[in-house]
């Protein structure tokens, strides 16, 4: 395993300073792939950031280590070699990992700390000029729904180093293939990653780094956070406790609305149970029709994953027939519910019933995310 490691900083009395930030990406790529996005583009970003750091005021309060690791594709051996054998690894307190799971477009924050750490999320919220993040993304990876891995796991598992993990995800059909070429990367992708990386390094090593460093490792900030960006313009971050209150209010408002819309408790229970059942069956029908459509396209026409290179095809091929089947079902489900006097849905339309049910399901999901 061969890694290239560069450190920007200074020695105090012949010793390196004890607090450092590591920026990591990998030089290798999958066989038969040009590796332009995964991950030569990220290495190019690191080189440009490295050049900019050298050109600025060299009096940084903390060091920056640039790790160009040479063995990520073979079970993350390059990053493991660094954290287990390199003497600089013991100085590293924060990781910025640059990865790729697609070709071009823009990067999303896959991980923030070990478990959506509030202090790190607030630093990203404050300093990243081109943010793209969602708590749901980390939940998906953290619970193993995506069979993928990055060097971030090595740092947090074997060295206990928290950090940011960024990766692009669009154009997955070109990922790890000969189509991962320089034409697909795009200047905007490089600019977003470069400016975000440089801004985070500045926040952790520059003039405001003492304050940020203290907030980053403060005990009250070592708690899970809810994170999402709004159209890439800004990031919303709030703590687990705030989330519990906000999400609980969604359920409370739904309960209040039910109390004022139904004459008796019995009608509330019957109506909600009936609509919930109808809505869940509609959701199951939507998924079944989508799956059946995929089987027909794949087995019947020999065109598996037809949509992956043309994402817009998802709407006519899968969403449209599934939505039509679900609305057709909800129409007759509503007609059936209207026959019972105990259920106050007279005059309700299928879409109204669906929205009522799915809004309550969304409230339940929001409340469940408090943990």
């Amino acid at each position: 395993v061969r890694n290239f490691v560069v450190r920007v900083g200074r020695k105090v009395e012949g010793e390196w300073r004890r607090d450092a930030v590591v920026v990591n990406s990998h030089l290798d790529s999958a066989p038969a792939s040009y590796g332009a996005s995964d991950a030569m583009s990220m290495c190019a970003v690191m080189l440009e950031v490295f050049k900019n750091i050298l050109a600025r005021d060299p009096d940084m309060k903390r060091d920056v280590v640039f790790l160009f690791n040479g063995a990520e594709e073979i079970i993350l051996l390059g990053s493991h070699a660094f954290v287990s054998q390199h003497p600089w690894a013991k100085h590293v307190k924060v990781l910025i990992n640059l990865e790729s799971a697609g070709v071009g477009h823009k990067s999303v924050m896959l991980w923030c700390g070990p478990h959506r750490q509030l202090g790190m999320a607030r630093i990203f919220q404050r300093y990243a000029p081109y943010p793209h993040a969602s708590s749901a993304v980390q939940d998906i990876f953290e619970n193993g729904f995506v069979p993928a891995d990055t060097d971030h796991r090595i740092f947090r598992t074997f060295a206990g180093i928290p950090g940011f993990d960024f990766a692009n995800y669009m154009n997955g059909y070109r990922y790890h293939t000969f189509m991962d070429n320089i034409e697909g990367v795009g200047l905007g992708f490089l600019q977003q990653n470069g400016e975000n990386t440089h801004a985070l390094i500045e926040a952790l090593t520059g003039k405001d780094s003492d304050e940020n460093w203290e907030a980053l490792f403060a005990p009250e900030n070592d708690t899970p956070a809810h994170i999402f960006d709004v159209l890439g313009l800004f990031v919303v971050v709030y703590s687990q406790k705030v989330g519990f209150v906000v999400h609980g209010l969604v359920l409370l408002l739904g309960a209040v609305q039910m109390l004022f819309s139904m004459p008796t408790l019995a009608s509330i229970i019957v109506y909600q149970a009936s609509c919930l059942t109808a809505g869940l069956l509609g959701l199951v029908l939507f998924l079944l029709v989508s799956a059946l459509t995929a089987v027909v396209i794949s087995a019947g026409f020999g065109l598996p994953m037809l949509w992956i290179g043309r994402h817009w095809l998802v709407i006519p091929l899968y969403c449209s027939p599934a939505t039509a089947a679900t609305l057709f079902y909800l129409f007759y489900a509503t007609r059936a519910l209207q026959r019972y006097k105990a259920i106050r849905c007279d005059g309700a339309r299928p879409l109204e019933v669906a929205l009522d049910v799915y809004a309550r399901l969304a409230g339940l999901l929001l409340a469940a995310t408090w943990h």
Side-chain angles (χ1 to χ4, degrees):
V1 174
R2 176 175 293 179
N3 295 332
F4 295 91
V5 191
V6 183
R7 185 164 184 160
V8 181
R10 62 175 56 188
K11 291 185 177 182
V12 179
E13 296 181 356
E15 297 288 335
W16 289 106
R17 291 182 289 193
R18 293 297 178 179
D19 292 340
V21 177
V22 63
V23 185
N24 171 77
S25 193
H26 60 95
L27 296 166
D28 63 330
S29 191
S33 173
Y34 291 114
S37 189
D38 182 32
M40 289 298 101
S41 58
M42 294 303 193
C43 292
V45 166
M46 289 173 60
L47 287 172
E48 187 67 15
V49 171
F50 171 71
K51 183 183 74 173
N52 289 339
I53 289 176
L54 291 179
R56 74 176 189 184
D57 182 3
D59 189 22
M60 298 185 300
K61 293 186 177 181
R62 289 166 181 83
D63 297 351
V64 184
V65 177
F66 290 88
L67 171 59
F68 300 84
N69 86 68
E72 188 269 350
E73 300 291 352
I74 49 175
I75 325 178
L76 315 176
L77 292 182
S79 56
H80 187 273
F82 175 79
V83 301
S84 62
Q85 301 179 35
H86 202 286
W88 290 349
K90 62 185 179 183
H91 301 157
V92 172
K93 300 298 188 294
V94 181
L95 163 72
I96 300 174
N97 188 53
L98 304 178
E99 187 52 270
S100 177
V103 176
H105 203 256
K106 60 182 178 180
S107 291
V108 66
M109 185 166 64
L110 300 179
W111 285 83
C112 179
H115 305 289
R116 303 197 311 271
Q117 202 244 17
L118 180 62
M120 302 196 75
R122 284 177 171 165
I123 288 177
F124 179 77
Q125 175 191 37
R126 181 178 177 183
Y127 290 97
Y130 300 106
H132 187 29
S134 172
S135 302
V137 175
Q138 180 159 339
D139 288 339
I140 290 171
F141 273 85
E142 198 167 348
N143 289 283
F145 292 112
V146 176
D149 211 350
T150 72
D151 289 315
H152 188 278
R153 179 179 66 84
I154 299 298
F155 281 88
R156 70 176 186 268
T157 302
F158 293 95
I161 298 172
F164 305 93
D165 194 11
F166 300 101
N168 60 332
Y169 55 92
M170 294 297 287
N171 301 318
Y173 68 98
R174 304 175 70 165
Y175 174 64
H176 278 186
T177 72
F178 68 93
M179 291 185 285
D180 183 5
N181 50 36
I182 193 65
E183 288 78 12
V185 173
L187 295 178
F189 169 72
L190 298 172
Q191 193 73 29
Q192 183 221 11
N193 284 281
E195 294 207 30
N196 283 350
T197 302
H198 192 277
L200 290 175
I201 291 175
E202 179 68 29
L204 295 169
T205 64
K207 61 181 181 179
D208 297 329
S209 61
D210 286 340
E211 177 186 347
N212 293 330
W213 207 266
E214 182 178 352
L216 184 65
F217 295 103
E220 63 270 18
N221 288 332
D222 189 19
T223 182
H226 298 279
I227 314 160
F228 60 90
D229 72 277
V230 179
L231 301 177
L233 300 176
F234 60 90
V235 179
V236 177
V237 175
Y238 52 93
S239 67
Q240 181 186 65
K241 292 180 179 179
V242 173
F244 180 72
V245 174
V246 172
H247 302 166
L249 283 175
V250 173
L251 287 180
L252 180 61
L253 291 174
V256 170
Q257 184 269 332
M258 285 190 291
L259 289 173
F260 282 96
S261 63
M262 298 291 172
T264 65
L265 180 61
S267 62
I268 293 174
I269 295 174
V270 174
Y271 174 76
Q272 294 301 320
S274 301
C275 288
L276 181 62
T277 302
L280 288 175
L281 289 175
L283 183 60
V284 171
L285 179 64
F286 184 94
L287 296 175
L288 287 176
V289 172
S290 298
L292 180 61
T293 304
V295 170
V296 171
I297 293 175
S298 179
F301 295 94
L303 298 171
M305 301 184 74
L306 179 64
W307 56 272
I308 196 167
R310 308 167 185 86
H311 293 161
W312 60 270
L313 284 177
V314 171
I315 296 176
L317 290 180
Y318 301 99
C319 294
S320 296
T323 301
T326 303
L327 290 177
F328 184 77
Y329 158 76
L330 287 174
F331 174 79
Y332 282 97
T334 305
R335 294 286 296 272
L337 290 175
Q338 288 172 346
R339 297 175 186 174
Y340 298 94
K341 295 181 179 181
I343 301 175
R344 282 284 304 274
C345 63
D346 295 332
R349 298 176 182 177
L351 188 57
E352 294 173 356
V353 175
L355 291 176
D356 186 23
V357 172
Y358 297 139
R360 303 198 193 290
L361 289 176
L364 287 172
L365 290 173
L366 282 173
T369 61
W370 73 271
H371 60 80

